[in-house]
């Protein structure tokens, strides 16, 4: 067995003993990874905003919802791989975990090529359909085409780091992200300031940083000595394992993609107010992403911990996982909002120096959205725990209707009657609250059924 064999090969076991300390130690590097990633993205935006202007900054930020829409469906498959491997580890089935890991890496490579080709082709046409302001669209299209050329490396890093985190190794993905991110910042300065490039320079730097980070992750998996060790000659798609990853991952991917689709609709509504709104909204969104990575960190912990205990059939521990992950995530998000919101004018102004109107709009969004971001954290963590339990489809259905459908209906009705930015922003906390209620009901009902032996969770 590889559980506790030695420091290098040890796999985190959360199926016995107290979980609070393990959850905190697991989550901190994941959160730091997200914050570090966003810090490097922030550096991208600062360099573009200060040296290429607000229109170029709007071009980069206007692509966020669209790039996420295209790529998130496949990144969702990495969630399926992580859950499947976590459940196999909980069940102490090392052979299954190894086969799943090899299938996951092969899936990342093949799907990355598909994402890259599709993204490159549809970038500009969809930006036009979104009504991206003419001042921003050429910058945005140039950025997206180059970014999608690096899609295979984006997915390889996500799948590979997901495997490492499932084993409890959350530190090395953080280190590799830092190395790639530092390279990204340096290359930004070289391309944008040194060579006079704009969004194309930022995109090239991003692709090169992803190449570095994904290569380090893959090298670590190849050199590993535990049951998830990757042998290059064995990287292939096993149909049975691929099917299991699809069953768990496709709902997660659709959920993420639908979230991104609703954000495309929201972005289109914001585009209606012009380039100042696009730039201000993008600067505020940069701040909000820090809260989003806190949510993803505890969601990752909830998914891994719930996955192992589901695989081990220790269902009574699922309640502890669910409540501890949600409580810790909500507390940390509230603390973060108490730091960012009082400093919003300074923070938004740091990104935008040539448009007071854009700064005002960015501050307005932070007040409406980030002050309630703890609700987004609870929603994300609850969904992650359900995925770990194998309830990806239920999580998808609830999230699609609670967030995506509600937001689209809101924009098509309430926003049409009252076309203001405040009305656009108000739907965020409303959609989070509605989704939380439904997710918690699913968890409570499922937990009671499995604990009292009326049903079994499928793994």
């Amino acid at each position: 067995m590889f559980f506790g064999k030695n420091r290098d090969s040890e796999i985190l076991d959360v199926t016995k003993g107290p979980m609070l300390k393990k959850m905190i130690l697991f989550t901190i590097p994941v959160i730091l990874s997200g914050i570090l990633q966003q810090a490097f993205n922030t550096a991208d935006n600062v360099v573009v905003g200060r040296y290429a202007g607000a229109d170029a900054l709007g071009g980069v930020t206007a692509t966020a919802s669209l790039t996420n829409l295209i790529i998130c469906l496949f990144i969702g498959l990495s969630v399926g791989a992580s859950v499947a491997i976590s459940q196999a580890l909980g069940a102490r089935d090392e052979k299954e975990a190894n086969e799943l890991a090899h299938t996951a890496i092969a899936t990342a490579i093949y799907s990355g090529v598909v994402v890259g080709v599709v993204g490159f082709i549809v970038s500009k046409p969809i930006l036009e359909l979104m009504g991206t302001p003419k001042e921003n669209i050429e910058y945005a299209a140039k950025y997206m085409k180059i970014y999608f050329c690096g899609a295979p490396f984006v997915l390889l890093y996500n799948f590979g780091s997901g495997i490492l985190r499932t084993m409890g190794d959350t530190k090395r993905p953080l280190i590799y992200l830092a190395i790639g991110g530092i390279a990204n910042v340096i290359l930004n300065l070289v391309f944008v300031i040194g060579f006079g490039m704009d969004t194309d320079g930022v995109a090239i730097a991003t692709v090169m940083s992803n190449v570095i980070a994904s290569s380090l992750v893959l090298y670590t998996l190849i050199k590993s000595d535990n049951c998830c060790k990757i042998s290059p000659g064995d990287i292939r798609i096993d149909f049975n394992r691929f099917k299991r990853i699809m069953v768990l991952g496709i709902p997660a991917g659709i959920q993420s993609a639908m979230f991104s689709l609703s954000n495309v609709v929201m972005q289109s509504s914001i585009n209606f107010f012009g380039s100042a709104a696009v730039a201000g909204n993008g600067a505020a969104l940069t701040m909000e992403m820090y809260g989003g990575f806190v949510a993803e960190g505890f969601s990752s912990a909830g998914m891994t911990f719930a996955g192992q205990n589901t695989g081990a059939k220790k269902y009574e521990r699922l309640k502890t996982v669910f409540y501890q992950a949600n409580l810790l995530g909500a507390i940390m998000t509230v603390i973060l909002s108490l730091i960012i919101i009082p400093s919003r004018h300074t923070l938004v102004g740091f990104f935008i120096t040539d448009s007071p109107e854009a700064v005002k709009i960015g501050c307005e969004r932070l007040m409406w959205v980030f002050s309630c971001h703890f609700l987004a954290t609870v929603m994300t963590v609850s969904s992650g725990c359900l995925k770990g339990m194998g309830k990806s489809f239920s999580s998808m259905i609830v999230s699609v209707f609670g967030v995506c459908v509600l937001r689209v209906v809101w924009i098509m009705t309430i926003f049409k009657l009252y076309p203001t930015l405040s009305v656009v922003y108000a739907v965020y906390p409303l959609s989070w609250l509605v989704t939380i209620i439904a997710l918690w009901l699913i968890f409570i009902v499922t937990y009671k059924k499995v604990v009292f032996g009326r049903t079994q969770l499928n793994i």
Side-chain angles (χ1 to χ4, degrees):
M1 299 292 292
F2 286 100
F3 288 82
K5 181 180 177 183
N6 57 55
R7 182 180 179 185
D8 194 45
S9 62
E10 182 177 354
I11 293 175
L12 178 67
D13 185 3
V14 298
T15 62
K16 55 189 176 184
M19 286 185 283
L20 183 61
K21 181 179 178 181
K22 292 178 181 178
M23 184 174 292
I24 293 173
L25 292 176
F26 178 99
T27 306
I28 287 175
V30 181
I31 294 174
L32 291 176
S33 295
I35 292 176
L36 188 63
Q37 177 67 68
Q38 189 55 34
F40 292 134
N41 290 341
T42 299
D44 288 353
N45 292 343
V46 169
V47 171
V48 171
R50 284 184 171 269
Y51 295 98
D55 288 341
L57 173 61
V60 174
T61 58
T63 67
S65 57
L66 183 52
T67 53
N68 287 337
L69 171 62
I70 296 173
I71 206 168
C72 275
L73 176 60
F74 292 89
I75 288 182
L77 300 183
S78 72
V79 173
S82 296
V83 171
I85 294 171
S86 181
Q87 292 178 350
L89 294 175
R92 300 298 196 269
D93 191 341
E94 296 177 5
K95 183 178 184 300
E96 179 70 9
N98 184 265
E99 292 287 349
L100 284 165
H102 282 86
T103 298
I105 294 300
T107 302
I109 295 170
Y110 295 137
S111 59
V113 174
V114 173
V115 171
V117 173
V118 172
F120 186 90
I121 293 172
V122 305
S123 295
K124 188 169 183 179
I126 295 183
L127 285 168
E128 292 171 344
L129 289 174
M130 288 173 60
T132 305
K134 63 181 181 179
E135 299 91 345
N136 308 123
I137 192 166
E138 291 302 326
Y139 291 113
K142 184 165 48 176
Y143 177 87
M144 288 186 65
K145 287 180 181 294
I146 297 172
Y147 175 85
F148 277 113
C149 290
F153 302 102
V154 174
L155 294 184
L156 184 58
Y157 175 80
N158 276 275
F159 275 77
S161 61
I163 295 172
L164 290 175
R165 288 168 180 161
T166 296
M167 297 187 293
D169 184 356
T170 57
K171 294 180 181 178
R172 279 186 285 193
L174 170 63
I175 294 171
Y176 301 154
L177 183 65
I179 294 171
I182 291 171
N184 186 27
V185 172
I186 294 172
L187 291 171
N188 277 338
L189 297 174
V190 171
F191 292 143
V192 177
I193 299 177
F195 294 162
M197 302 170 73
D198 44 70
T199 56
D200 51 350
V202 173
I204 294 171
T206 299
V207 170
M208 295 178 70
S209 69
N210 285 326
V211 171
I212 293 171
S214 61
S215 298
L216 289 170
V217 166
L218 183 59
Y219 178 80
T220 299
L221 290 170
I222 291 173
K223 292 298 182 180
S224 175
D225 61 351
N226 61 35
C227 63
C228 290
K229 173 183 174 64
I230 296 296
S231 300
D234 294 332
I235 295 176
R236 68 186 189 285
I237 293 181
D238 177 89
F239 178 76
N240 290 329
R241 276 79 183 191
F242 181 73
K243 180 180 178 181
R244 185 177 176 192
I245 291 173
M246 293 298 103
V247 169
L248 293 167
I250 287 179
I254 292 175
Q255 179 178 329
S256 297
M258 291 303 292
F259 274 16
S260 297
L261 179 59
S262 71
N263 288 335
V264 169
V265 175
M266 303 297 285
Q267 183 67 49
S268 298
S269 301
I270 292 165
N271 291 346
F272 172 79
F273 295 95
S275 60
V278 172
N281 187 79
L285 186 60
T286 299
M287 294 292 100
E288 292 168 24
M289 291 298 291
Y290 288 97
F293 283 116
V294 170
E296 290 297 333
F298 282 101
S299 176
S300 179
M303 185 172 66
T304 299
F305 283 45
Q308 279 201 23
N309 283 287
T310 298
K313 300 188 185 305
K314 295 188 176 181
Y315 300 137
E316 70 282 354
R317 294 171 63 84
L318 293 174
K319 182 170 70 173
T320 303
V321 173
F322 191 85
Y323 292 144
Q324 285 185 354
N326 272 296
L327 180 61
L328 290 171
I331 290 173
M332 184 166 289
T333 307
V334 168
I335 293 173
L336 187 61
S337 67
L338 291 175
I339 295 172
I340 289 179
I341 291 177
S343 308
R344 61 191 182 277
H345 290 92
T346 301
L347 292 172
V348 176
F350 186 67
F351 297 104
I352 304 171
T353 59
D354 59 352
S355 177
E357 179 65 18
V359 172
K360 179 181 177 182
I361 291 171
C363 291
E364 181 182 0
R365 173 172 175 125
L366 285 175
M367 283 301 300
W368 270 103
V369 180
F370 201 64
S371 61
C372 300
H373 215 277
F374 69 94
L375 294 174
T377 297
V378 173
M379 179 190 72
T380 304
V381 173
S382 301
S383 179
C385 291
L386 288 174
K387 291 170 186 172
M389 294 164 60
K391 306 292 288 185
S392 288
F393 185 77
S394 299
S395 174
M396 176 198 73
I397 293 297
V398 167
S399 299
V400 166
F401 280 92
V403 174
C404 308
V405 175
L406 176 57
R407 289 181 185 177
V408 172
V409 171
W410 181 275
I411 293 300
M412 294 176 64
T413 57
I414 306 300
F415 177 70
K416 293 295 184 182
L417 295 173
Y418 307 99
T420 67
L421 281 170
S422 297
V423 170
V424 174
Y425 297 147
V427 75
Y428 285 96
L430 174 63
S431 61
W432 293 333
L433 183 59
V434 169
T435 307
I436 287 170
I437 293 171
L439 290 173
W440 278 51
L441 286 174
I442 291 174
F443 173 78
I444 291 170
V445 171
T446 302
Y447 176 78
K448 288 183 177 180
K449 285 183 178 180
V450 298
V451 167
F452 291 108
R454 293 195 292 269
T455 189
Q456 291 279 328
L457 293 174
N458 295 322
I459 63 173

